[in-house]
């Protein structure tokens, strides 16, 4: 058995076998571009697989060395990759600048950090492993733009003909001249390797006199420049001092370019990855550095606690109580993982979990309550009473006690809301209940939340809270 076949064999044991087989077929028979920055959500859709099983499969495949996992910082405007990191620890908290959009962004892991998978060069060598050899437009598709840009070949070819006035591959140390006819539109001279751009506002009366513009490309990421010119001939002098091949391209910044950049599809975000149980279990070493703080603009927290656990130990004895508590944990942790959540930590008999979407947390809470009812019915008791609190909002992803954790007022409120429960109930903040997806879920299940106004310990203002009966 070859080393690759042995890796596939192990993958089939650690991941869903159907997903593992599809990954093996992709590696063995996929085209080069299909193995670079794989969009696992698109892979899931194309193959009819559950997204969580596919994410788990690619994570296990990466742990086996079949893929390299990258964290790509994206421009929210054009979806260009501003920086690529092979570990989350390399992600900076300062601004990233996009030359094409002439904007700076503080990275947020919600929608600005893409998690993608590229086949390892030790497994199979593909063209993208040496990006300086890729043809110009393949470089744009495979390196500059993220997997969230949705462009098939026909559409891409039509759009590039419409939006690109001219382009060329310029070797390191070389110079070139481009002769262009400027239309009365806004023009962007962009170079994707150095991420440098120059804006040309073409306006006024047309001229027959040849206008001149010189651009120098280097690795210092110079600030975006701008100039006003008249419609007519332009001689564009290009000087490549970057030390690598550059790909200067002159775009018409009109509807065609906006249409091309507007074709988006879902991709795996860092926020979702941080709330994935397989990642937290398998890639513990790839968590944050101790001083790193990553901003998340929206994350849902679910806290549980087992009511009266001390009295339970006294009532039924340590051994029986321990078995009950373990059964309770098995049920809760299984539900969290199946509803696309992840356990952050357990504290005594309590659980702290995160969900990317609040409706998944609500469903998990309802299932947890039903699971406790079922466990109690099996034993003919009512010993297992779980209190649940849910809240959503901004937070920071941090490292605490050598564990990837979360910090902020959102976390505090979620914990305090759980503390309001006095029985096997679910307490949810008004912020969550008012979200369209949650409101629709409750209506669908004919659940009418009971409104309360609560004063939470350590929170200055009263909070609108709903009990889900």
């Amino acid at each position: 058995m070859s080393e690759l076949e042995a890796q596939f064999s192990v993958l089939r044991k650690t991941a869903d076998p159907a997903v593992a087989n599809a990954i093996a077929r992709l590696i063995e028979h996929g085209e080069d571009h299909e193995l670079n920055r794989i969009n696992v959500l698109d892979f899931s859709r194309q193959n009819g697989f559950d997204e969580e099983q596919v994410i788990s499969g690619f994570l296990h495949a990466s742990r086996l060395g079949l893929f390299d996992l990258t964290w790509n910082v994206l421009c929210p405007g054009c979806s260009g990759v501003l920086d690529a990191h092979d570990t989350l620890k390399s992600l900076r908290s300062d601004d990233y600048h996009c030359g094409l959009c002439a904007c700076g962004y503080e990275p947020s892991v919600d929608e600005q950090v893409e998690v993608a998978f590229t086949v390892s060069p030790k497994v199979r060598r593909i063209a993208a492993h040496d990006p300086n050899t890729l043809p110009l437009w393949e470089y744009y598709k495979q390196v500059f733009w993220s997997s969230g840009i949705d462009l098939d070949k026909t559409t891409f070819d039509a759009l590039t003909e419409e939006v690109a006035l001219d382009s060329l591959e310029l070797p390191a140390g070389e110079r070139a001249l481009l002769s262009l006819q400027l239309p009365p539109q806004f023009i962007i001279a962009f170079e994707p390797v150095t991420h440098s751009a120059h804006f040309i506002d073409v306006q006024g009366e047309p001229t027959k006199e040849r206008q001149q513009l010189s651009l120098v490309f280097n690795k210092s990421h110079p600030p975006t420049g701008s100039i006003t010119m008249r419609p007519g001939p332009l001689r564009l002098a290009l000087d490549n001092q970057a030390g690598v091949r550059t790909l200067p391209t002159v775009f018409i910044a009109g509807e065609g370019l906006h249409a091309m950049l507007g074709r988006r599809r879902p991709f795996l975000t860092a926020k979702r990855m941080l709330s994935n149980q397989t990642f937290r279990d398998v890639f513990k070493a790839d968590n944050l550095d101790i001083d790193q703080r990553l901003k998340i603009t929206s994350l849902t927290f679910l806290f549980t606690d087992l009511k009266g656990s001390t009295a339970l130990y006294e009532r039924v004895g340590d051994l029986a109580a321990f078995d009950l508590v373990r059964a309770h944990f098995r049920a809760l942790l299984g539900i969290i993982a199946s509803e696309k959540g992840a356990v952050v930590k357990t504290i005594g008999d309590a659980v702290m979990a995160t969900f990317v979407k609040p409706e998944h947390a609500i469903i998990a809470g309802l299932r947890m309550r039903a699971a406790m009812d079922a466990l109690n019915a099996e034993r003919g008791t009512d010993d297992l009473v779980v209190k649940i609190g849910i809240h959503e909002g901004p937070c920071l992803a941090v490292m605490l006690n050598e564990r990837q954790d979360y910090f902020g007022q959102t976390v505090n409120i979620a914990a305090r809301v759980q503390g309001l429960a006095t029985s096997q109930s679910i307490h949810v903040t008004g912020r969550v209940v008012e979200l369209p997806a949650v409101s629709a879920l409750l209506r669908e299940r004919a659940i009418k939340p009971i409104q309360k106004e609560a004063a939470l310990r350590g929170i200055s203002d009263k909070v609108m809270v709903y009990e889900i009966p």
Side-chain angles (χ1 to χ4, degrees):
M1 180 183 292
S2 70
E3 182 180 353
L4 183 59
E5 289 171 338
Q7 289 172 305
F8 288 155
S9 178
V10 173
L11 182 61
R12 291 184 185 99
K13 296 175 182 177
T14 55
D16 179 86
V19 173
N21 287 333
I23 290 174
R25 287 194 299 272
L26 177 66
I27 291 175
E28 292 178 323
H29 306 297
E31 296 184 27
D32 274 15
H33 70 87
E34 295 175 317
L35 289 161
N36 179 54
R37 288 187 182 165
I38 298 166
N39 183 324
V40 295
L41 302 188
D42 195 53
F43 180 88
S44 171
R45 179 187 60 80
Q46 290 181 4
N47 288 277
F49 293 138
D50 175 77
E51 288 181 354
E52 294 302 308
Q53 290 182 338
V54 169
I55 295 170
S56 178
F58 273 90
L59 285 171
H60 283 295
S62 297
R63 175 56 72 195
L64 290 170
L66 295 171
F67 294 100
D68 294 327
L69 188 156
T70 57
W71 307 78
N72 306 319
V73 181
L74 310 183
C75 169
C78 67
S79 201
V81 177
L82 307 181
D83 207 352
H85 304 280
D86 58 5
T87 174
L88 191 58
K89 294 178 180 179
S90 305
L91 197 66
R92 308 193 315 268
S93 59
D94 54 338
D95 286 357
Y96 288 80
H97 184 81
C98 177
L100 184 59
C101 296
C103 289
Y105 304 98
E106 181 184 355
S108 162
V109 300
D110 293 71
E111 298 295 336
Q112 282 180 250
V113 180
E114 165 202 56
V115 184
F117 299 81
T118 298
V119 69
S120 168
K122 297 177 182 178
V123 173
R124 175 176 161 183
R125 193 82 190 174
I126 60 173
H129 288 143
D130 190 3
N132 288 325
T133 65
L134 287 171
L136 186 144
W137 290 115
E138 282 301 312
Y139 185 94
Y140 271 102
K141 287 196 290 186
Q142 295 193 46
V143 179
F144 178 71
W145 276 314
S146 78
S147 69
I149 289 284
D150 185 15
L151 293 172
D152 56 48
K153 186 178 186 305
T154 302
T155 304
F156 189 80
D157 290 346
L159 287 172
T160 51
E161 288 179 10
E162 178 184 345
V163 303
L165 281 179
D166 208 345
S167 60
L168 80 159
E169 298 183 17
L170 189 59
E174 299 270 331
R175 298 180 179 181
L177 288 174
L178 288 180
S179 294
L180 307 170
Q181 192 71 24
L182 291 177
Q185 299 188 62
F186 201 81
I187 303 298
I188 304 176
F190 180 66
E191 201 295 297
V193 179
T194 59
H195 283 237
S196 58
H198 204 91
F199 295 156
I200 307 172
D201 188 6
V202 185
Q203 56 177 276
E205 291 295 321
T207 179
K208 294 183 179 179
E209 295 183 10
R210 187 173 297 279
Q211 302 165 98
Q212 307 282 340
L213 178 63
S214 297
L215 299 178
V216 178
F217 305 118
N218 54 50
K219 289 188 175 180
S220 65
H221 290 273
T224 300
S226 62
I227 190 173
T228 300
M229 290 185 162
R230 293 163 63 184
L234 167 68
R235 176 171 291 167
L236 185 59
L238 306 170
D239 184 0
N240 182 7
Q241 299 178 12
V244 294
R245 180 196 65 163
T246 56
L247 304 169
T249 311
V250 183
F251 289 111
I252 300 173
E255 292 184 3
L257 181 60
H258 293 144
M260 181 168 67
L261 300 181
R263 293 175 60 93
R264 304 294 175 91
R265 61 185 174 186
F267 60 87
L268 180 59
T269 64
K271 179 175 82 168
R272 182 165 179 180
M273 185 63 92
L274 290 176
S275 289
N276 178 273
Q277 195 64 55
T278 301
F279 175 74
R280 293 185 68 96
D281 293 342
V282 176
F283 279 81
K284 293 178 181 178
D286 199 31
N287 280 329
L288 309 176
D289 274 334
I290 189 66
D291 296 323
Q292 201 171 9
R293 309 285 187 269
L294 292 184
K295 183 173 72 173
I296 301 176
T297 60
S298 172
L299 194 63
T300 301
F301 292 88
L302 181 149
F303 280 82
T304 75
D305 196 13
L306 192 58
K307 181 183 177 183
S309 57
T310 301
L312 172 66
Y313 278 80
E314 291 181 355
R315 188 167 64 253
V316 304
D318 288 349
L319 186 60
F322 180 69
D323 288 340
L324 277 174
V325 171
R326 281 209 311 170
H328 135 273
F329 271 129
R330 281 196 300 272
L332 265 56
L333 302 190
I335 289 169
I336 290 167
S338 66
E339 294 299 336
K340 304 180 181 179
V343 175
V344 179
K345 56 188 173 185
T346 58
I347 311 160
D349 301 324
V351 174
M352 173 186 176
T354 58
F355 296 82
V356 173
K357 295 184 178 181
E359 58 267 31
H360 293 161
I362 297 291
I363 294 173
L366 294 170
R367 289 183 58 194
M368 288 174 181
R369 187 164 63 183
M372 295 306 101
D373 290 340
L375 285 172
N376 284 331
E378 285 177 15
R379 290 164 172 78
T381 69
D382 57 359
D383 289 326
L384 295 176
V385 179
V386 172
K387 304 180 296 179
I388 300 169
I390 299 172
H391 181 50
E392 175 270 343
C395 63
L396 293 175
V398 299
M399 284 295 288
L400 291 174
N401 301 320
E402 300 182 348
R403 177 195 290 119
Q404 188 245 306
D405 208 329
Y406 298 93
F407 178 83
Q409 192 75 313
T410 298
V411 182
N412 296 334
I413 291 174
R416 301 289 187 268
V417 167
Q418 179 275 315
L420 295 174
T422 57
S423 61
Q424 189 149 294
S425 63
I426 303 170
H427 278 67
V428 184
T429 58
R431 176 169 179 153
V432 173
V433 169
E434 292 162 5
L435 292 169
V438 173
S439 298
L441 171 66
L442 296 177
R443 283 196 306 271
E444 179 184 317
R445 300 193 177 205
I447 297 173
K448 295 182 179 180
I450 302 168
Q451 181 177 314
K452 305 176 179 180
E453 192 175 61
L456 304 180
R457 181 168 55 87
I459 309 299
S460 57
D461 297 327
K462 287 189 175 181
V463 177
M464 191 63 68
V465 177
Y466 290 82
E467 180 179 351
I468 297 180

